[in-house]
Every structure is written in structure tokens, then in C-alpha cells.
Amino acid sequence: SSLAVLALFIGVSFGVFKVGLLLADGQALKGKILGRARSAIEQLKGGKEKLVAEDPEAAVALFGQAVDTFKASEQDIANANLLIRGVLAVLPAGQDAEHVLKAGEYGSQTAVHLARLFNLAKQLKITQTGLAGGGIGHIKSEFEAARVSIQAAADELQHVPASAIPEAQREQFLVVQSALPSLREALGSLSSALAVVNSLTSGRKHVLLVLQNNNELRATGGFAGTYGAFDIDNGTITKQVVSSIYDLDG
């Protein structure tokens, strides 16, 4: 019987020891991930400041660092020992943490695309002969990539209940969670508008523009008294005629 008690004691002690190691490793992992998350947030803040200062290239670099930092946190979880990964897989808190990290990664990717978009827009100039600088097609691509990243971030956050977020950050979390779909729709609308502009400015086009005078009302809105005819070659106006309709031949 004393051997049985000793065996039970050893078994319990070993179990407690294993749980203790698991908790210690888990706390260390938690500290590491929180440290990385704080770094990522600082990188995002720094990128935002660079955008305000109209330095999009530096902003892209900082936002890219935030993407890498969130990815590193996800890798920390993937590299954790089997017991911790098993706990994270079944505990709601562990699942929530993984969703938040993925949302942070996708949100940072969105910031990268928007910073690149800002840089392209800065280079774009409208001159008397048409568009110069960054191509509309590239701008549209960044819009679309940002929209996809925003959707991915929103999908991840939909899996996270507000109750899982610390009370101090809960209100901000709800604001972000509800704002992401609206931002995605706005980016989608802008992307659609840019698709039209891209169609007009890509390749060779002949564009007819008819101007109506709403002081002389007609069924379409006004009297069509002036027209413009433009030959466009990849965004550059190579020929233009703006005149009264009464000057037309025939």
C-alpha cells in the first residue's frame, strides 16, 4: 500500500510538473507575442505618421515591417510545443488570439497597399495633354489588393467575440470591427470608378464628349450645344477638338 501511495504521489507530482512547464511555456509565449504585437502597433503608428508627413515610401517600409511582425507572432504559435498548440486549438482564448493576429497581418497589408496607392497618386498629374506619372492600372490594382486584405481582416475579426477583448480596448475593437465592411465597400466603389478611367486611358481611344446647357432644358438635361472629340494614346491626348455643334460638317 505504501508503494501504491508513492506511485500515486510520483504520478501526481509528474502531472503537476508537466502542467507547470506548460503554463510557464505558455506565459513565455504570451509575453513574446504581446511584445511583438506592441512592436507591430508602433510600426503601424510610425507608418501613419510618415503618411501624414507625405513620405509614402517610408510608410510602406514601416507597414511592411508590421506585416512581418504579425507573421512572426503566428510563427511563434506554430513553433510552440505540441501541448501548448493543443491547448490553443481548443481554448476560445487561444483561437481568438490567432484570429486577432491574422487580422493584424491583413490590416497591415491593407496599410501597405494604401501607402503605395498614395505614392502612385502623388506621381499622377493631369496636364493639358492628359495623364502623366503613375498608371491608372497600377492604382486600380492597389485599390483591389487593399479591398481583398480588408475583407480578410474583417472575416478574421468576425470570429472574435467582443467579450474576449479587454474592457479598455473593447469599444475601439467594436468600432474597427464595424468600420471594416464600410471601408471595403468604399474601396470597391473607387476601384470600379478607376476601372472606367483605366479603360479610357489604356491603349488608343477616340472619345466624344457632349456638353449640355441646363439653361436650355431638354429631355436629357439640357441643350447639347458643344462637343469635344479627343484622340487618346495610353492616357496622353494626341489630338483634341472642342467646338459648337453648329460647326460640324454636314
Side-chain angles (χ1 to χ4, degrees), residues 9-185:
F9 174 76
I10 291 173
V12 170
S13 298
F14 181 68
V16 170
F17 179 65
K18 274 200 349 183
V19 171
L21 283 178
L22 176 62
L23 291 174
D25 286 350
Q27 287 299 320
L29 178 63
K30 177 183 174 183
K32 192 174 182 180
I33 290 173
L34 286 175
R36 288 195 193 277
R38 292 189 188 98
S39 296
I41 290 169
E42 289 304 313
Q43 288 157 351
L44 288 171
K45 286 180 179 177
K48 178 184 175 183
E49 290 170 2
K50 291 297 182 183
L51 268 185
V52 172
E54 297 191 6
D55 188 354
E57 291 182 2
V60 167
L62 284 164
F63 291 145
Q65 289 173 23
V67 173
D68 292 339
T69 303
F70 279 117
K71 283 183 176 179
S73 293
E74 294 164 34
Q75 193 60 47
D76 287 338
I77 292 176
N79 292 338
N81 71 55
L82 220 48
L83 280 172
I84 292 179
R85 282 217 309 274
V87 170
L88 287 174
V90 298
L91 287 181
Q95 296 167 10
D96 295 339
E98 291 190 272
H99 286 306
V100 170
L101 287 174
K102 288 297 290 184
E105 178 192 337
Y106 291 132
S108 300
Q109 286 176 344
T110 301
V112 169
H113 294 305
L114 292 178
R116 286 176 182 162
L117 176 64
F118 182 78
N119 195 29
L120 288 168
K122 275 188 69 177
Q123 298 171 23
L124 190 66
K125 293 180 176 59
I126 300 177
T127 67
Q128 290 182 337
T129 58
L131 295 173
I136 291 292
H138 292 143
I139 291 176
K140 180 181 178 298
S141 295
E142 293 296 344
F143 260 114
E144 183 59 24
R147 189 188 67 79
V148 171
S149 295
I150 279 285
Q151 178 63 60
D155 289 344
E156 292 294 337
L157 290 185
Q158 285 303 315
H159 295 292
V160 182
S163 58
I165 304 300
E167 193 171 349
Q169 286 84 37
R170 193 170 299 161
E171 184 177 351
Q172 187 177 6
F173 169 80
L174 290 170
V175 169
V176 171
Q177 193 179 46
S178 61
L180 288 181
S182 299
L183 179 56
R184 182 202 66 228
E185 290 176 12

Side-chain angles (χ1 to χ4, degrees), residues 165-250:
I165 304 300
E167 193 171 349
Q169 286 84 37
R170 193 170 299 161
E171 184 177 351
Q172 187 177 6
F173 169 80
L174 290 170
V175 169
V176 171
Q177 193 179 46
S178 61
L180 288 181
S182 299
L183 179 56
R184 182 202 66 228
E185 290 176 12
L187 289 173
S189 298
L190 287 170
S191 182
S192 298
L194 281 170
V196 175
V197 177
N198 187 47
S199 175
L200 290 174
T201 57
S202 298
R204 293 183 176 181
K205 299 286 190 304
H206 184 73
V207 178
L208 175 66
L209 183 66
V210 179
L211 305 177
Q212 300 182 89
N213 181 359
N214 60 6
N215 287 322
E216 298 183 52
L217 292 177
R218 296 293 188 276
T220 57
F223 176 66
T226 306
Y227 76 95
F230 305 90
D231 288 337
I232 302 174
D233 187 356
N234 289 317
T236 299
I237 299 174
T238 57
K239 182 181 178 182
Q240 62 181 16
V241 176
V242 179
S243 183
S244 167
I245 59 168
Y246 296 113
D247 295 334
L248 285 170
D249 293 335

